[in-house]
Amino acid sequence: MSSVKEYKCLNCKAGLEFYPPTQNWKCNYCFSEFTKEELDAAFHQDQSQEESLKEDTPELDSYKCTSCGVELIADGTTSATFCLYCKSPTIIKSRFSGKFKPKALIPFKLTQEQAKDIYKNWIGNRRFAPNEFKGKREIDKITGIYAPFWLFDCKTEGFIEGEGTRVTAWEDGEYRYTKTKYYRVVRSGNAEYHKVPVDASKKLDDKYMHLIEPYNYKDLKEFSMQYMSGFMAEKYDVESEEAKGILKERVEEYFEERLKGTVNEYDSYSVRSNEMRISNSKEDYSMLPIYLLINKYKGKDHVFIINGQTGKVVGDTPISRSKQLAFAGVIFAIVWVLAVFGGALFV
Ligand SMILES: [Zn+2]
Ligand SMILES: [Zn+2]
């Protein structure tokens, strides 16, 4: 038995996997497809029985990398043979023990095949990327994982204080005058923010995670183990208290922009100081879908991430020095040939 609440095909009893394009569950043996409602109805009885017994401990596998320490979680339908973060094959599989209770998630919309195509196009356009990054073996390593996030709702109030200017200019005979008037401009207000995401994984660089936003939170679903089938998940390692610091920065930035947007009767405006207070913050442990491929090249990590809902891509590739030199060589050779031919005309 793998997962406690694993769905089985209603026709052939094989395991079902979540199928992103239709948001249903699909049988890989007889190709039947079922909606969540159909499956919940069929499994309702066992589920409620078992749920009461084992609510906090669904049977999950843990894949722990002995070289970089990351711990990934999967249900019985997915397994890891290498570490997604450092590519090390030294993965220790065990029964996951601990708490894993996300509140919500956005299900994958992209299949792994689509993710591979996106990567293939992306890397194909990078002329100087090393060949190792372009091979099929590499492309096949793109993996769908649910990244842990804290989604915050909060209120904020505060003000910004700064200097506005109004400039008038006129001419009088041969003289040109400009007059600048300075104003102290204060704006205050309050706002409510919903679903502000804060990256809850130390392994995933915040910088990249912010770049693949936004997610469309209309698709946010209450967490259910069934969405895990076919994917891995990373357990959070940034506590919500720590995440609040980042929330504050993000909200301050939004809020300052918003207040600045109301200052429009001046020729220029710059903020000198601000003060903001965040209150009523409430967070939910949530998971957002990404496809991930991390490559090591000359000791440095190169990250490629696709937003598993929208398909937005963020990544960087190293520049292969030898390829770049070869390219420079070609240009040099052409110039040299031209020069030689050019010179030949005068002989
Ligand atoms: Zn089936
Ligand atoms: Zn690792």
Side-chain angles (χ1 to χ4, degrees):
M1 189 176 75
S2 49
S3 160
V4 182
K5 287 187 272 178
E6 190 191 343
Y7 285 147
K8 294 261 188 285
C9 176
L10 302 181
N11 297 330
C12 76
K13 299 273 182 288
L16 294 176
E17 263 193 26
F18 183 66
Y19 185 59
T22 56
Q23 303 282 295
N24 290 331
W25 281 259
K26 199 171 175 180
C27 173
N28 287 328
Y29 294 89
C30 73
F31 304 110
S32 316
E33 229 180 278
F34 307 95
T35 65
K36 187 159 198 310
E37 290 69 35
E38 287 170 334
L39 293 165
D40 279 343
F43 291 93
H44 180 73
Q45 229 186 334
D46 333 351
Q47 226 183 63
S48 51
Q49 253 178 17
E50 277 175 303
E51 218 159 359
S52 57
L53 286 170
K54 295 190 156 190
E55 201 184 8
D56 277 321
T57 53
E59 284 182 39
L60 291 163
D61 296 322
S62 151
Y63 293 89
K64 198 160 178 146
C65 171
T66 55
S67 92
C68 76
V70 73
E71 184 176 11
L72 297 168
I73 305 165
D75 74 354
T77 61
T78 316
S79 60
T81 52
F82 64 93
C83 172
L84 299 181
Y85 288 90
C86 70
K87 294 281 171 67
S88 161
T90 56
I91 292 270
I92 295 178
K93 183 185 171 184
S94 61
R95 175 66 51 83
F96 175 73
S97 64
K99 260 182 97 174
F100 180 66
K101 280 211 82 182
K103 180 83 194 306
L105 96 176
I106 292 178
F108 275 87
K109 277 235 166 113
L110 258 60
T111 62
Q112 200 202 13
E113 286 310 310
Q114 288 170 316
K116 284 183 196 173
D117 286 342
I118 291 173
Y119 176 74
K120 239 188 275 178
N121 282 330
W122 181 83
I123 197 74
N125 289 329
R126 274 157 182 76
R127 195 207 301 256
F128 297 125
N131 287 335
E132 301 91 293
F133 284 48
K134 302 188 174 182
K136 185 178 180 308
R137 268 190 55 204
E138 198 50 45
I139 294 172
D140 285 343
K141 285 184 179 152
I142 285 195
T143 309
I145 75 170
Y146 282 108
F149 274 83
W150 293 106
L151 290 182
F152 283 92
D153 290 343
C154 69
K155 290 184 171 162
T156 177
E157 57 177 328
F159 69 87
I160 55 172
E161 187 267 327
E163 188 176 80
T165 63
R166 275 190 197 142
V167 183
T168 39
W170 68 94
E171 272 173 51
D172 182 7
E174 59 204 90
Y175 294 102
R176 212 185 125 75
Y177 300 91
T178 34
K179 183 173 77 180
T180 306
K181 281 190 171 177
Y182 296 89
Y183 299 85
R184 177 174 176 260
V185 184
V186 178
R187 286 287 187 275
S188 66
N190 56 67
E192 223 178 290
Y193 292 98
H194 294 281
K195 312 268 179 286
V196 180
V198 176
D199 181 3
S201 158
K202 284 189 177 131
K203 278 273 165 199
L204 291 165
D205 193 327
D206 284 10
K207 181 179 80 193
Y208 290 109
M209 297 315 287
H210 287 341
L211 287 171
I212 59 156
E213 288 172 21
Y215 280 92
N216 182 354
Y217 295 102
K218 279 207 182 80
D219 291 344
L220 200 69
K221 301 266 189 289
E222 193 185 322
F223 175 76
S224 157
M225 276 304 300
Q226 288 84 359
Y227 291 109
M228 289 277 294
S229 65
F231 300 102
M232 312 216 76
E234 193 189 328
K235 207 184 150 209
Y236 72 83
D237 56 4
V238 175
E239 296 295 331
S240 62
E241 273 311 306
E242 200 179 334
K244 272 184 191 163
I246 295 159
L247 168 78
K248 194 158 182 290
E249 278 170 32
R250 296 200 88 181
V251 166
E252 280 182 0
E253 204 178 297
Y254 298 155
F255 194 53
E256 181 169 319
E257 279 311 307
R258 175 102 183 267
L259 291 176
K260 263 164 83 177
T262 68
V263 182
N264 38 36
E265 61 273 46
Y266 299 93
D267 293 317
S268 76
Y269 180 65
S270 56
V271 177
R272 279 192 301 233
S273 66
N274 67 27
E275 203 177 299
M276 280 164 214
R277 216 162 51 85
I278 289 176
S279 58
N280 290 35
S281 80
K282 178 179 118 1
E283 71 282 345
D284 282 330
Y285 170 23
S286 309
M287 302 198 305
L288 303 180
I290 61 169
Y291 280 96
L292 182 69
L293 184 65
I294 297 179
N295 274 301
K296 260 202 175 17
Y297 187 71
K298 298 190 173 158
K300 195 174 168 283
D301 281 349
H302 294 276
V303 179
F304 176 81
I305 302 177
I306 305 175
N307 179 319
Q309 181 194 34
T310 65
K312 188 175 177 192
V313 165
V314 174
D316 76 289
T317 41
I319 286 176
S320 156
R321 193 82 187 111
S322 57
K323 277 196 164 187
Q324 203 181 22
L325 285 175
F327 184 72
V330 171
I331 291 179
F332 177 76
I334 292 170
V335 170
W336 186 77
V337 166
L338 284 176
V340 168
F341 278 118
L345 285 175
F346 294 95
V347 174

